[in-house]
Amino acid sequence: MSKKGSSSNKILTGVFWLAVLAIVVYLIVRHVGVFGNVAMVMIGFGSVVLVHEFGHFIVAKLAGIKVEAFSIFMPPTLLGIQRTPSGLKIRVLPSFFADTTEEPPGGDSTPESPAGEAGTEYRVGLIPFGGYVKLLGQDDIGPVKQIADPRSFSNKSLGARIAVVAAGVTFNIISAAILLMVVFLIGIDFPPPLVGGVVPGSSAEKAGLRSGDEFIEIDGQSEGLEFSSLVLAAALSDRNDPVPVVVRRRDGSTQSMELLASTQPNDQQIREFGIIAPMSLTLAELTDPIALERETGLRPGDRVVAVDGNAVEHHWLYEEAIQGMFAPRVTITAERPQVGGGVDRIGTELALAWLPSREAVPSDATLCNVYSMVPRLRVLEGPTPSPAGADTLRKGDIIISVADVPHPTYAELREITAAHEGKPLAIQILRADANGVERTAEVTVTPRKEPGSDRVVIGFLPALDAEHAVVAKTVSAEGGVPRLDIPRGATIVSVNGKPVSTFYDIVAETRQWDGQSVKLEYHLDGQASGGVTLANPKAEAAIAVESTTVVHLPFKPLERLYKAKSPIEAIRMGYRRTVMFVAMTYVTLKQLIAGLLSPKLLMGPVGIMVSSYQIVAREPLVYYAYFLGLIGASIAVLNLMPMPPFDGGLIVLMLVEKIKGSPLSEKAQGVLAYAGWVVVGTLLIYVTFNDVLRTVRGFFS
């Protein structure tokens, strides 16, 4: 090619990259917040990789190993500086404007030569992520090369080579500890180890744990406990091996117990104790706060202080107050902070609904009931999304028949649904029109399995029809009142002679007769049919239903400040947390290999980047520093895995060399290195696929 053509190509290349640069600058200016967060993520995570490489670099220098190149960020190289016998050599944008071929990481080929040759080239790459170090005779993607130069990696003592290889993980652990020390010196909020609620049938429920109980010791650990300590203790415990804990009960007493983790029926398949995280009484920020205020009169940042005039200090007291309500509405009082200081008290009324049993066990004893009477089922929320153009269940529909079973209970509906998996299922309903007139109708649904579960569902949220006094069935429940002899579909019309029209009326009137017998009269099919006597309406569990607000209030998680009182304490807290992260990563790998944890739980580079971006965009910077400490400690453990191309694999090869008396052949080392890369590459593709899948699901959820 002529010089004129070569010059033209250089000019065109320069114009191209200037145009690209202009477009990038324009996009950054238009979306400065997004690009700022992305840059923070890249630099933060890249610094973890860079610290690792710097460990190799500094120890290699101390060991007298020739470092051919050390780069901050990844190629192509924007800037290269190297000291040569003839002076300082500087390369600026070499691959863009010069007739030089950009070499990949570790691609510099310095010929074997005596002292006085060019030193290390220090580079700055275009991609602001991590970095790399290239040692003479050592290549991450192949065998260690036997080079005559005494400064080559292969010609150093075994101890020096192990020190160089181990320096990366050592620097990762040290930097993680320092980062976490700074985090605890600043202070960071975490959910405390409190019980916010328990899952029915879980180990926590069987142990008698209640909302408000606090863990003061978990598996022998008592310092720096937070809610994640419970999650990790359950997930990392051995199968059939209970975890010893000490709990401070709400009354101030302490109790020792053992909790056995079990796999919950969800997509993640994580083993848990069945403990729900504690919540605060402050409403969380929402993407659509106007909708919340329109439906409830409350705003994000409001703090609930009373329920029906009774003060509540904790979220679990709020929940217990709501659950014990047997009226159609409840009055909520909240405090709203004002811009200039002070608070306003806000009062609002919220509609309530009764929830059916969450158990999928077809047993009468598991059913919610009122004095042994089970109300009909009502649709609290319809299927989402509804089939296009199809008439399906809607909010407010009352189920009066399913597959020819009149007025089915929740347990019966679960049985029928499971038996009709993938098949059309006819449901007769009572539906109110625009004027409030209720008419019968029929819809057809097709039950399907929930994603990641064997549970067959229709896809609607059920509640009990407390707005009518129609009895779906009467049941015998342990600890409840004796089963009343009332036929299915009967309507209670009076309590001790006073007319009633809803289950709310039944509860209110029955409670008026403290400890006395109560007579209930009912009609069936519009005809007077008879009456029954309720002998002991105050029996324990006589009312076995729980109320909830129809509009869910989005409360913030309860958080507690974890902050060191002095630099010395910060060092201890940072050290303990680093040790915990290292142990956590090690046990996680162990359980993955043993098949106790699903590999779907692994997070790859994409998942780490997405999580990092979410933390940077939504949380104070101290949370990202904490996350980087976790990543640094985890990378250290992963790099010590005893297989090439990890640092642990290189150390194993050097120990084999020590035992054998000579290194493995370059061919054998190459086979092991490439086999290792195949395993790592396959795993990387797998976790990346799961990362993308989780990200897409999260975007559309």
Side-chain angles (χ1 to χ4, degrees), residues 4-50:
K4 183 178 180 179
S6 177
S7 299
S8 298
N9 287 339
K10 289 180 182 180
I11 293 173
L12 290 174
T13 302
V15 170
F16 170 77
W17 285 108
L18 286 174
V20 170
L21 182 61
I23 293 172
V24 170
V25 170
Y26 171 78
L27 292 175
I28 290 175
V29 172
R30 287 293 304 270
H31 306 280
V32 63
V34 173
F35 274 92
N37 292 337
V38 170
M40 182 68 70
V41 169
M42 298 292 286
I43 293 173
F45 184 56
S47 66
V48 175
V49 179
L50 187 60

Side-chain angles (χ1 to χ4, degrees), residues 204-241:
E205 185 189 54
K206 294 174 183 176
L209 288 172
R210 294 181 60 202
S211 300
D213 291 342
E214 181 173 8
F215 288 84
I216 57 177
E217 186 176 306
I218 303 172
D219 200 16
Q221 300 295 319
S222 59
E223 294 186 2
L225 297 180
E226 57 188 84
F227 191 79
S228 65
S229 305
L230 282 169
V231 177
L232 291 173
L236 303 180
S237 62
D238 291 332
R239 187 173 291 156
N240 301 322
D241 188 7

Side-chain angles (χ1 to χ4, degrees), residues 446-521:
T446 304
R448 305 286 186 188
K449 281 187 178 180
E450 281 185 315
S453 172
D454 291 331
R455 183 182 173 91
V456 181
V457 297
I458 297 173
F460 76 98
L461 180 61
L464 296 174
D465 177 27
E467 287 76 10
H468 299 77
V470 180
V471 180
K473 185 180 181 181
T474 56
V475 297
S476 296
E478 184 179 352
V481 300
R483 177 180 174 274
L484 297 175
D485 186 16
I486 300 175
R488 277 183 183 263
T491 301
I492 307 298
V493 294
S494 69
V495 175
N496 272 359
K498 185 169 183 178
V500 294
S501 60
T502 69
F503 265 98
Y504 298 122
D505 295 340
I506 295 173
V507 173
E509 289 304 319
T510 304
R511 284 184 160 186
Q512 299 294 322
W513 302 89
D514 187 12
Q516 303 178 51
S517 295
V518 176
K519 184 176 181 180
L520 306 179
E521 292 185 349

Side-chain angles (χ1 to χ4, degrees), residues 633-701:
S634 301
I635 285 179
V637 176
L638 290 173
N639 262 290
L640 281 179
M641 289 183 65
M643 60 171 287
F646 297 113
D647 293 340
L650 297 178
I651 293 175
V652 168
L653 290 179
M654 287 184 279
L655 293 177
V656 169
E657 175 187 339
K658 179 68 175 179
I659 296 171
K660 181 173 175 286
S662 62
L664 294 177
S665 66
E666 288 193 13
K667 182 178 180 180
Q669 291 185 50
V671 169
L672 291 174
Y674 293 126
W677 274 112
V678 169
V679 173
V680 172
T682 303
L683 183 62
L684 187 61
I685 293 172
Y686 177 79
V687 298
T688 300
F689 173 78
N690 286 329
D691 286 344
V692 173
L693 196 61
R694 278 193 294 264
T695 302
V696 172
R697 284 177 178 173
F699 181 79
F700 288 104
S701 64

